[in-house]
Amino acid sequence: MKILLRLKYLGTAFCGWQYQPGVRTVQKTLTDAAEILFGEKCNITGCSRTDSGVHANDFAATVELSETANKIPRDRIPTAFAPHLPSDLAVTSATPVADDFHPRYDVAYKEYVYKIYASPVADPFLHGRVWHYTGRLSTDALERMNACAAVLVGKQDFASFMAAGSKIEDTVRTVKYCTVEREGTLLTIRIAADGFLYNMVRIIAGTLMSAACGKLDADGMAAIIAAKNRAAAGLTAPPDGLYLNKVVY
Amino acid sequence: MKILLRLKYLGTAFCGWQYQPGVRTVQKTLTDAAEILFGEKCNITGCSRTDSGVHANDFAATVELSETANKIPRDRIPTAFAPHLPSDLAVTSATPVADDFHPRYDVAYKEYVYKIYASPVADPFLHGRVWHYTGRLSTDALERMNACAAVLVGKQDFASFMAAGSKIEDTVRTVKYCTVEREGTLLTIRIAADGFLYNMVRIIAGTLMSAACGKLDADGMAAIIAAKNRAAAGLTAPPDGLYLNKVVY
C-alpha cells in the first residue's frame, strides 16, 4: 500500500531532503518517525531534493507499507505523526495512491516561491526565511522584474539557469508562470514549471534581482536564455528565501 | 541628549529584555552595539521588561548620549546599528526626545498581541512564535473568548491576573480594549492598557483559552476579576505567543 504524504518544513536546520549519512535530513527524520508509527521500516520517496536551508510549504512524498504495517485511518495520519516529529517538520495530509504512483515522475507542475526582503535593516522575524538584500533597488524594480520574469514563461532551454557542473543533459523545461509581487520591502517571486533544473529558481531569483537593481531588462533576459550558459545569468540567490510551495499531480 | 529607539526582536534566544549577568538579554546586546556605534558607554532604559522568549514588534528604549558621542543623523541610526546587531534584533527608528522623557513612566498605553495556533498538528514555521494548543475548542470558541475579553475592558483591579508572589501593591489598571480574532486555526488576542501587571497578558491568554474550551463565560470572567486572587484565573500561557506590539506615548 502506498500513501502520499504532504509535508511542511522549515528548512533552516535540515541539510535538505535527501538522506545523507551522518546529517539531519527531512527524509531521514520522516523515515524514522514512520518506522515508529507504522511498526516497520518504510521506503519513503520525495517529489524533489530540496537543498540545505530550503523550506517547504507543501512537499509531497510517498510511504510504502506492507500488509502487516500498523493500520492508521488516513485522516488520523497527520495527527499520529505529530508526536514523533520535531517542531520544524509536520505531515499535513495523507492520501492513498496507486502502487505505480511516483511522487517525482508523476508531477504535473510544481510552484516555488522566493522571498526577498529588500531593506538596509533586517526584520528579526524573517531571519533564515528570506534573502535579506541590503542594496538599493531601482524605482521601477517591480516592473523590470516582471518584464524579465515574463520572458521565462514557456517551453525553453534553461541551461543558463542550471548550476555549473550539473550532469543533466535535457535542459528544456516549461515554465507555466513567473510573477513578482511587492508588499512594502518584501518581494515575492512565484514560479511554476513542469520541472526545475538544479538551482534553477535560485539562479532566476539572483538574475531577477539584477533587474531590480536596474541592470537587466527583458531583452537582456532573452539574451541570457539564448546563451545557454550559466555564466550569462546572475548570481545564485541564497537558499533562505526559497519555498517549495505547491506540488500538483 | 536622549534618543528614543524603536526595536523589533524575536525573543526566542533572548533571556528577556533586562540585563542579567552571564545571559543574553536584549538590553545587554543593544548596549554593546550602542557603545560601538556612539563610541562611549551608553545608558539604555526600556519601556518594559519582557520575559524570556517574549517577542517585540515594537519595543521602545531610550539611549542617553554625552556631548562627545559620535554624531549620527537620526534617520541613519537604524542602518548604522544594523551591522552591530545580531539577526534577531533590529532598531527600526530613532527620534530625539526631551531629557526628562522616560520610556516606561511616560507610556500612554501599550498593546500586546498573543497568538494561539489551535491544531493537533504544529505549523513548522510558527514554532516558538505561537502557543501551539492541541486541545479541542468549543464550536463557539471565538464568541466565548470575545464575551470574556469584553469583561476585562475598563479601569479595574487585575490582582487575579498577576503572577503569584509579585510585590506590586496597586493592581488597578485600565484596559482600553481586548479583542480576539480568528483566522482558521490561528487565534489572535489583542489587548491594550495603560500598564500591565507581571504575567498579566499571559494569564489573560490562558484564561481566555478556558473560554475557548467552553469552560468559562462572561459571568465567570467577572467572578475571576472580583476574586482578586491569582488562583481564580486560568493558567499562565507560554511566552512563545506573546508580542509587545505597540507602545504609545
Side-chain angles (χ1 to χ4, degrees):
Chain A
M1 185 183 172
K2 210 177 230 184
I3 296 171
L4 178 65
L5 303 175
R6 298 286 182 156
L7 313 176
K8 202 169 189 175
Y9 54 85
L10 179 68
T12 312
F14 287 108
C15 295
W17 162 261
Q18 182 101 338
Y19 176 78
Q20 295 171 63
V23 297
R24 184 175 189 260
T25 68
V26 180
Q27 190 180 29
K28 172 77 164 81
T29 306
L30 186 67
T31 304
D32 290 349
E35 184 175 343
I36 299 169
L37 197 62
F38 296 109
E40 65 179 23
K41 287 214 176 288
C42 305
N43 192 8
I44 291 190
T45 309
C47 64
S48 80
R49 280 167 293 192
T50 60
D51 278 345
S52 198
V54 172
H55 316 290
N57 289 321
D58 179 31
F59 188 97
T62 52
V63 52
E64 289 164 60
L65 300 173
S66 77
E67 297 285 311
T68 57
N70 294 339
K71 301 279 179 287
I72 301 165
R74 57 182 263 199
D75 59 337
R76 292 284 306 155
I77 288 177
T79 313
F81 259 108
H84 305 296
L85 292 174
S87 60
D88 50 358
L89 173 60
V91 172
T92 57
S93 78
T95 323
V97 285
D99 283 343
D100 63 352
F101 177 91
H102 195 285
R104 177 139 49 118
Y105 305 136
D106 290 351
V107 167
Y109 70 94
K110 285 185 289 192
E111 180 188 274
Y112 280 91
V113 154
Y114 194 95
K115 296 184 187 176
I116 299 133
Y117 189 77
S119 164
V121 178
D123 181 334
F125 293 93
L126 297 179
H127 178 67
R129 300 171 179 217
V130 292
W131 176 13
H132 178 213
Y133 185 83
T134 55
R136 200 175 281 272
L137 302 190
S138 85
T139 49
D140 60 348
L142 187 65
E143 294 68 25
R144 274 183 177 265
M145 291 177 87
N146 272 309
C148 290
V151 177
L152 297 165
V153 177
K155 187 174 179 176
Q156 308 188 66
D157 188 333
F158 287 98
S160 293
F161 300 95
M162 180 171 74
S166 286
K167 295 284 185 321
I168 302 287
E169 292 194 356
D170 178 9
T171 49
V172 173
R173 297 290 183 276
T174 302
V175 170
K176 275 175 75 81
Y177 51 85
C178 183
T179 58
V180 188
E181 281 163 56
R182 182 173 189 164
E183 259 187 288
T185 49
L186 188 70
L187 294 164
T188 303
I189 301 167
R190 193 175 298 270
I191 181 167
D194 58 349
F196 290 89
L197 302 168
Y198 188 53
N199 276 357
M200 181 167 154
V201 184
R202 290 168 56 187
I203 299 168
I204 287 174
T207 307
L208 289 177
M209 283 308 284
S210 295
C213 301
K215 292 179 191 149
L216 187 72
D217 59 13
D219 288 346
M221 188 59 125
I224 291 171
I225 297 175
K228 296 177 192 170
N229 179 353
R230 170 67 189 91
L235 56 79
T236 305
D240 312 55
L242 185 59
Y243 298 72
L244 177 52
N245 202 51
K246 205 192 281 184
V247 184
V248 179
Y249 291 103
Chain B
M1 185 181 169
K2 211 177 229 184
I3 296 171
L4 178 65
L5 304 174
R6 297 287 181 158
L7 313 176
K8 202 169 186 174
Y9 53 84
L10 179 68
T12 312
F14 286 109
C15 294
W17 161 262
Q18 181 100 337
Y19 177 78
Q20 297 170 63
V23 298
R24 185 176 188 260
T25 67
V26 181
Q27 189 179 30
K28 172 77 165 80
T29 306
L30 186 68
T31 304
D32 290 349
E35 184 174 343
I36 298 170
L37 197 62
F38 295 109
E40 64 178 25
K41 288 216 176 287
C42 306
N43 192 9
I44 291 190
T45 310
C47 65
S48 78
R49 281 166 292 195
T50 59
D51 278 345
S52 198
V54 172
H55 317 290
N57 290 320
D58 179 30
F59 188 97
T62 52
V63 52
E64 288 164 63
L65 300 173
S66 77
E67 296 285 311
T68 58
N70 294 339
K71 300 280 179 288
I72 301 165
R74 57 181 266 204
D75 58 340
R76 294 283 308 154
I77 289 177
T79 314
F81 259 109
H84 305 297
L85 291 174
S87 59
D88 49 359
L89 172 61
V91 172
T92 57
S93 78
T95 322
V97 286
D99 283 344
D100 63 350
F101 179 90
H102 195 286
R104 177 139 48 117
Y105 305 137
D106 290 351
V107 167
Y109 69 93
K110 285 185 289 193
E111 180 189 274
Y112 280 92
V113 154
Y114 195 96
K115 296 184 186 176
I116 299 134
Y117 190 77
S119 164
V121 178
D123 180 334
F125 292 93
L126 297 179
H127 177 66
R129 299 171 179 219
V130 292
W131 176 13
H132 178 214
Y133 185 83
T134 56
R136 198 175 282 273
L137 302 190
S138 84
T139 50
D140 61 347
L142 188 65
E143 293 71 23
R144 272 183 179 265
M145 290 176 88
N146 272 310
C148 289
V151 177
L152 296 166
V153 177
K155 185 173 180 177
Q156 307 188 65
D157 187 333
F158 287 99
S160 294
F161 299 94
M162 180 172 74
S166 287
K167 294 282 182 326
I168 304 285
E169 292 196 353
D170 177 11
T171 49
V172 173
R173 296 292 182 274
T174 302
V175 170
K176 275 176 74 80
Y177 52 84
C178 182
T179 58
V180 188
E181 282 164 55
R182 183 172 188 163
E183 259 186 287
T185 48
L186 188 69
L187 294 163
T188 302
I189 301 167
R190 193 175 296 271
I191 182 167
D194 58 348
F196 290 90
L197 303 168
Y198 188 54
N199 277 356
M200 181 166 153
V201 183
R202 290 168 57 188
I203 299 169
I204 286 174
T207 307
L208 289 177
M209 283 308 284
S210 296
C213 300
K215 290 179 190 148
L216 186 71
D217 58 14
D219 288 347
M221 189 59 123
I224 290 171
I225 297 174
K228 296 178 193 171
N229 179 353
R230 170 68 189 91
L235 58 80
T236 304
D240 311 54
L242 185 59
Y243 298 72
L244 176 52
N245 201 52
K246 202 190 286 182
V247 184
V248 179
Y249 291 104

